[in-house]
């Protein structure tokens, strides 16, 4: 079966431009997560969706970052006016929900973003 | 969620058991212990999780001390492909996973 997919796999952009990163979760997974991993760093939580709503946006680093999820499926992470410090691997994960608990998170391969 | 402490790196001989420790002394009663690993340039991969009892699956075993303040992940027969960063995470609901620095496990032939 298909796992979590992300696109593009690599993105190079110029400082100040906007970028959109896409995540296709595993079919039927109600929860979706975005994380960021800067070079040589650990994973940093950004935002979590349950269905189409985001009960936890606490990890978004600034108001230049936003995310949405439609139809309980695909999610888009948008970074406006990109800065060089936004360069990182952006990882998406999805999971099912059982009794209020999230089951195992399955991660996608990530999008490598480079801001010049 | 409780914080965890792991050694920064460990070496293991190929074919031997790899025992990765984790301290989580501030864990509360309803928090689970999760283990993930990240092989170079890939997304993290789930390994195993548990609450109180020891757990085993096809990848590994998880041993949790009776007071739940620490745990050990055991890879019974490590291979070169097990070289990765291993993350021990404590989470109540399994949603917002807080990844620390993890342990770099190097399996050597």
């Amino acid at each position: 079966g298909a796992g979590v997919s992300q696109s593009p796999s690599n993105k190079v952009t110029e400082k100040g431009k906007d970028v959109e990163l896409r995540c296709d979760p595993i079919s039927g997974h109600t929860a979706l997560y975005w994380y960021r991993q800067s070079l040589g760093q650990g994973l940093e939580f950004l935002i979590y969706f349950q269905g189409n709503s985001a009960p936890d946006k606490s990890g978004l680093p600034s108001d230049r970052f936003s995310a949405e999820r439609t139809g309980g499926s695909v999610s888009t992470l948008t970074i406006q006016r990109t800065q060089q410090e936004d360069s990182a691997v952006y990882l998406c994960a999805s999971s099912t929900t059982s009794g209020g608990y999230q089951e195992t998170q399955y991660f996608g391969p990530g999008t490598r973003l480079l801001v010049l | 969620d409780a914080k965890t402490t792991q050694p920064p790196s460990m070496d293991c001989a190929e074919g031997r058991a790899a025992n990765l420790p984790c301290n989580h002394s501030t864990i509360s009663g309803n928090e689970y212990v999760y283990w993930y690993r990240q092989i170079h340039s890939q997304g993290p991969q789930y390994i195993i999780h548990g609450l109180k009892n020891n757990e085993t699956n096809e990848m590994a075993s998880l041993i949790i001390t009776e007071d739940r303040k620490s745990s050990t992940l055991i890879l019974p027969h490590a291979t070169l492909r097990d070289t990765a960063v291993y993350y021990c995470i404590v989470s109540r609901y399994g949603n917002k996973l807080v990844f620390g620095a993890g342990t770099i496990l190097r399996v050597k032939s």
Side-chain angles (χ1 to χ4, degrees):
Chain A
V4 177
S5 60
Q6 293 185 245
S7 60
S9 53
N10 292 282
K11 176 72 176 179
V12 180
T13 190
E14 293 179 349
K15 177 181 173 181
K17 295 286 180 71
D18 298 351
V19 296
E20 284 190 354
L21 312 180
R22 177 186 168 108
C23 173
D24 283 87
I26 294 173
S27 178
H29 279 193
T30 54
L32 186 147
Y33 315 80
W34 284 98
Y35 294 85
R36 175 170 77 170
Q37 187 168 32
S38 302
L39 186 63
Q41 302 295 314
L43 282 84
E44 174 189 5
F45 169 84
L46 297 179
I47 188 170
Y48 150 62
F49 286 92
Q50 181 64 41
N52 291 333
S53 63
D56 192 340
K57 306 179 184 179
S58 62
L60 294 177
S62 75
D63 58 7
R64 296 187 296 106
F65 287 72
S66 63
E68 65 174 12
R69 188 179 186 198
T70 55
S73 181
V74 172
S75 176
T76 303
L77 177 69
T78 301
I79 310 173
Q80 296 178 309
R81 305 181 301 281
T82 53
Q83 303 294 313
Q84 290 180 332
E85 62 263 27
D86 299 334
S87 296
V89 177
Y90 289 82
L91 290 153
C92 175
S94 70
S95 71
T96 56
T97 305
S98 176
Y101 288 81
Q102 305 305 328
E103 301 295 331
T104 303
Q105 291 189 26
Y106 293 89
F107 283 79
T111 292
R112 285 161 181 74
L113 174 66
L114 177 61
V115 182
L116 300 176
Chain B
D1 291 332
K3 295 181 70 173
T4 63
T5 304
Q6 299 178 251
S9 65
M10 293 181 64
D11 291 341
C12 178
E14 188 177 20
R16 304 299 292 268
N19 297 278
L20 292 91
C22 179
N23 285 325
H24 31 79
S25 59
T26 59
I27 193 171
S28 58
N30 53 11
E31 289 181 313
Y32 288 77
V33 179
Y34 292 81
W35 284 84
Y36 281 77
R37 73 179 182 184
Q38 188 172 26
I39 296 170
H40 184 61
S41 298
Q42 297 182 22
Q45 176 190 23
Y46 166 82
I47 302 173
I48 199 167
H49 77 283
L51 183 64
K52 297 180 183 177
N53 300 322
N54 298 337
E55 302 287 345
T56 296
N57 62 20
E58 65 279 3
M59 288 183 68
S61 294
L62 173 61
I63 308 298
I64 303 174
T65 57
E66 192 170 343
D67 63 7
R68 303 209 324 122
K69 293 182 184 300
S70 65
S71 61
T72 301
L73 178 73
I74 301 172
L75 307 179
H77 305 287
T79 71
L80 297 177
R81 288 175 295 180
D82 291 322
T83 292
V85 180
Y86 286 76
Y87 298 99
C88 170
I89 301 164
V90 174
S91 176
R92 181 176 179 185
Y93 296 110
N95 47 13
K96 180 180 172 180
L97 299 180
V98 178
F99 288 80
T103 295
I104 299 171
L105 175 67
R106 300 184 191 91
V107 180
K108 300 182 176 181
S109 58

